[in-house]
Amino acid sequence: MKLLKCPMNGVRPLSEFVFGGEVREMPDPNTCSDKEWATYVHHRNGAPGMKKEWWYHGPSGTWFIAERNTMTDEVARTYLYGQEDKQ
Amino acid sequence: MPLRLLKYAMSREHPAPRFFRACETPKKSYDAVIIGGGGHGLAAAYYLARDHGITNVAVLERGYIGGGNTGRNTTIVRSNYLTPEGVNFYNASVKLFEDLSQDLDLNLFYSTRGHFTLAHTESAMRTMRWRAEVNKHVGVESYVVGPDEISKACPQLDISCSGQAPILGALYHAPGSVARHDAVAWGYARGADHMGVEIFQSTEVTGIDVQGGKVKGVQTNRGYISTNKVLSAVAGFTPRVCKMVDVQTPIIIQPLQACVSEPMKPWLDTILVSGSLHVYVSQSSRGELVMGSSLDPYEVHSTRSSLDFVEGLTTHILDMFPFLSNVKVVRQWAGMADITPDFAPIMGKTPVEGFYLDAGWGTWGFKATPISGKTMAETIANDRAPDLINSFRLSRFEEYELTGEKGAASVGH
Ligand SMILES: Cc1cc2nc3c(=O)[nH]c(=O)nc-3n(C[C@H](O)[C@H](O)[C@H](O)COP(=O)(O)OP(=O)(O)OC[C@H]3O[C@@H](n4cnc5c(N)ncnc54)[C@H](O)[C@@H]3O)c2cc1C
């Protein structure tokens, strides 16, 4: 069984979590071009590597960030959004 | 045939004919270079040579041909999609598949079985009716059937699914078929090789040389090759190859797993798919049940398989066929599926001149092998994509013209 550490609830089985995709910077819809907006909406950084991702712990309703290598599936660390430095 | 086999058995050298030449050193330049020796890349090479007379072509494969998703899929061929553009496209592929054994002079074990997409809910029935109407409109033989007809075609199926999810009906698709996947790759490879195409295995493209927005060549572990036309047909490696040319796509990679049971006497004639139970199953010509499920739930660039998958899958298979409880699973594996947000492929030209893309085949691209090879060859030869694949262009995303194929592509393959 794979495990993942929720920053609020500790280590839990992976089946309790939902993947939310890579953390991405939203361009300002008022000032960006149509092309920039379409890129933000549709395109993804699909190449493998270390990524910051959104994950969701279902039973407790906690969204948090995991830094994960998408090639090896190793999680370096997890933390609540905005609390990166506290970890 | 038996005599020929006997001759091999008696001979010390096993003089079985090679399917294609063992190419070692690439030439300095080619008219076109194809990255990826899966079914799609090899089919494109074959049709480039056969239909367009372009034979100065190299296919570069980092591993061995057919070792990617082509040799890992569950070989379901069908055209009962949801959108007219999807149905037309996959129907053209089914038509090519029907004659392909003859074309390639190789027995692909192409076997038309009929295909049932089971519906366990009213909303699923609604989608089946919708698909049946679109299919009929385009001239594809699909219609909605009730539980009795399903039972007749497959008496072993527990229509109540252990009482968990009773089957209300199904979309029946007469042309649904299975085939030998690696034979498709090998057949196209042999055909292309005979016309002059050179196939290099253990040859990885590590970079693409782009100057002034145009392709000039590729860097490989066997040196630099110059060319003005590069086709990327690398399925699960698409984001890596696109990164070499700075072309953005929505593709993310998720593993898709499958497994087979021990061989049994033939009992399952048709192909069965259940979206609600997340399973599909057919019986191969070797007697094994070939079974698959939905995608692994998050992005990983890996072909590792898991126990979770077999446990989940077999639970549902037992809902359908309780009598299989003593049958063993003998092999399982995974491939890297290149998933697009609208469950349709990405085919055609890209912002980089001379860089053509055949990707986004996710869980559904085996059935498209012949038609994608044919249409990509046409795209490369004319530097213009044929109408049949216009809806699949990369620019559809920035134009917000996504296709609506999701309802028919997931789980069903
Ligand atoms: C478990 C599973 C079940 C499936 N079931 C079905 C099904 O029932 N029906 C269906 O229609 N589809 C199915 N699919 C999808 C189908 O298998 C694929 O969409 C299809 O085979 C893609 O073919 P391809 O030739 O594009 O890619 P591949 O066969 O993956 O070929 C790509 C090749 O490119 C090579 N390559 C990658 N990078 C490089 C590089 N840099 N240099 C050189 N070579 C490189 C790889 O080694 C690989 O051999 C399934 C997929 C999986 C994983």
Side-chain angles (χ1 to χ4, degrees):
Chain A
M1 193 197 320
K2 278 189 186 172
L3 303 170
L4 186 61
K5 186 177 168 199
C6 168
M8 297 303 284
N9 303 285
V11 176
R12 310 292 308 165
L14 190 67
S15 55
E16 292 184 10
F17 296 89
V18 179
F19 174 60
E22 191 173 7
V23 177
R24 299 177 310 129
E25 202 63 37
M26 183 174 84
D28 180 351
N30 295 312
T31 56
C32 74
S33 68
D34 285 354
K35 201 179 155 93
E36 278 164 353
W37 185 252
T39 299
Y40 168 70
V41 172
H42 298 297
H43 290 327
R44 295 292 180 270
N45 160 28
M50 203 60 177
K51 293 184 186 178
K52 280 188 189 178
E53 300 171 328
W54 285 109
W55 282 82
Y56 177 69
H57 182 240
S60 65
T62 314
W63 279 103
F64 63 94
I65 309 292
E67 292 180 7
R68 188 176 66 95
N69 184 330
T70 61
M71 190 78 166
T72 59
D73 204 14
E74 280 159 345
V75 177
R77 56 180 186 151
T78 57
Y79 47 85
L80 292 177
Y81 183 73
Q83 300 192 3
E84 181 169 357
D85 300 332
K86 293 194 191 147
Q87 295 292 306
Chain B
M1 187 61 184
L3 259 182
R4 229 171 86 198
L5 274 182
L6 196 65
K7 205 172 72 194
Y8 290 149
M10 309 297 276
S11 138
R12 267 169 200 276
E13 277 106 42
H14 298 292
R18 276 197 67 88
F19 262 58
F20 55 94
R21 290 162 290 160
C23 300
E24 296 286 331
T25 317
K27 291 190 279 192
K28 293 244 162 343
S29 98
Y30 290 90
D31 293 343
V33 165
I34 295 173
I35 315 175
H40 285 234
L42 293 163
Y46 174 83
Y47 293 111
L48 262 180
R50 196 196 77 174
D51 296 355
H52 305 279
I54 301 175
T55 56
N56 184 23
V57 174
V59 178
L60 311 179
E61 167 53 54
R62 74 198 283 273
Y64 56 95
I65 67 161
N69 289 354
T70 296
R72 296 165 190 269
N73 70 78
T74 46
T75 81
I76 299 174
V77 176
R78 63 186 176 92
S79 60
N80 57 353
Y81 279 70
L82 185 64
T83 62
E85 58 272 26
V87 180
N88 270 321
F89 175 77
Y90 291 107
N91 188 34
S93 209
V94 170
K95 291 274 169 331
L96 288 174
F97 253 123
E98 284 167 355
D99 297 333
L100 202 57
S101 292
Q102 233 124 32
D103 262 13
L104 300 178
D105 192 19
L106 183 66
N107 187 354
L108 305 177
F109 286 69
Y110 188 78
S111 163
T112 301
R113 303 284 192 83
H115 178 286
F116 290 88
T117 313
L118 306 174
H120 308 254
T121 61
E122 265 311 323
S123 69
M125 280 302 283
R126 184 179 155 272
T127 312
M128 298 314 149
R129 283 187 213 105
W130 179 4
R131 281 167 67 181
E133 290 311 314
V134 174
N135 284 202
K136 266 184 254 174
H137 182 71
V138 177
V140 165
E141 196 185 342
S142 301
Y143 45 89
V144 174
V145 296
D148 292 351
E149 285 145 292
I150 304 170
S151 284
K152 218 170 130 192
C154 183
Q156 299 87 348
L157 177 65
D158 178 356
I159 289 287
S160 79
C161 289
S162 309
Q164 301 296 315
I167 295 166
L168 305 181
L171 178 68
Y172 176 65
H173 178 55
S177 304
V178 288
R180 267 270 317 263
H181 44 24
D182 40 16
V184 173
W186 282 73
Y188 275 124
R190 183 175 67 178
D193 174 86
H194 282 177
M195 290 181 283
V197 171
E198 294 178 3
I199 298 165
F200 296 90
Q201 302 189 103
S202 305
T203 306
E204 180 166 10
V205 171
T206 52
I208 301 175
D209 181 14
V210 178
Q211 290 170 30
K214 292 182 186 167
V215 166
K216 293 290 168 200
V218 295
Q219 197 62 54
T220 78
N221 59 337
R222 295 184 199 256
Y224 182 85
I225 301 172
S226 65
T227 183
N228 295 326
K229 293 180 182 231
V230 167
L231 169 64
S232 169
V234 296
F237 294 81
T238 301
R240 295 185 225 186
V241 170
C242 282
K243 203 173 167 186
M244 297 175 189
V245 285
D246 249 337
V247 164
Q248 283 195 307
T249 76
I251 293 174
I252 68 161
I253 305 303
Q254 284 173 258
L256 180 67
Q257 305 194 44
C259 63
V260 295
S261 73
E262 58 189 318
M264 282 168 269
K265 284 184 180 170
W267 61 269
L268 180 63
D269 209 23
T270 60
I271 305 161
L272 296 176
V273 179
S274 165
S276 301
L277 300 180
H278 308 288
V279 294
Y280 58 94
V281 54
S282 68
Q283 191 170 18
S284 75
S285 42
R286 274 201 291 242
E288 299 165 335
L289 291 182
V290 181
M291 299 171 281
S293 180
S294 21
L295 286 166
D296 284 8
Y298 61 94
E299 177 187 350
V300 200
H301 298 254
S302 142
T303 52
R304 220 176 307 164
S305 44
S306 68
L307 181 63
D308 283 358
F309 159 75
V310 209
E311 280 181 344
L313 172 88
T314 48
T315 306
H316 290 307
I317 290 285
L318 289 181
D319 282 342
M320 294 164 72
F321 302 110
F323 73 96
L324 289 178
S325 58
N326 289 323
V327 171
K328 291 181 179 57
V329 168
V330 293
R331 282 196 310 284
Q332 68 173 115
W333 65 91
M336 293 189 289
D338 39 338
I339 300 296
T340 57
D342 58 357
F343 287 76
I346 299 174
M347 303 178 75
K349 297 177 66 169
T350 67
V352 175
E353 207 179 309
F355 181 73
Y356 304 93
L357 195 56
D358 172 73
W361 290 109
T363 66
W364 55 84
F366 174 69
K367 68 180 70 62
T369 305
I371 195 65
S372 76
K374 205 165 185 330
T375 48
M376 286 313 300
E378 199 176 330
T379 308
I380 296 166
N382 306 334
D383 195 38
R384 207 184 80 85
D387 290 345
L388 191 62
I389 61 170
N390 184 45
S391 329
F392 306 140
R393 67 198 181 280
L394 175 60
S395 64
R396 74 175 181 273
F397 297 102
E398 60 192 55
E399 292 154 9
Y400 292 92
E401 287 198 56
L402 278 65
T403 72
E405 207 51 271
K406 191 167 181 172
S410 46
V411 185
H413 307 291

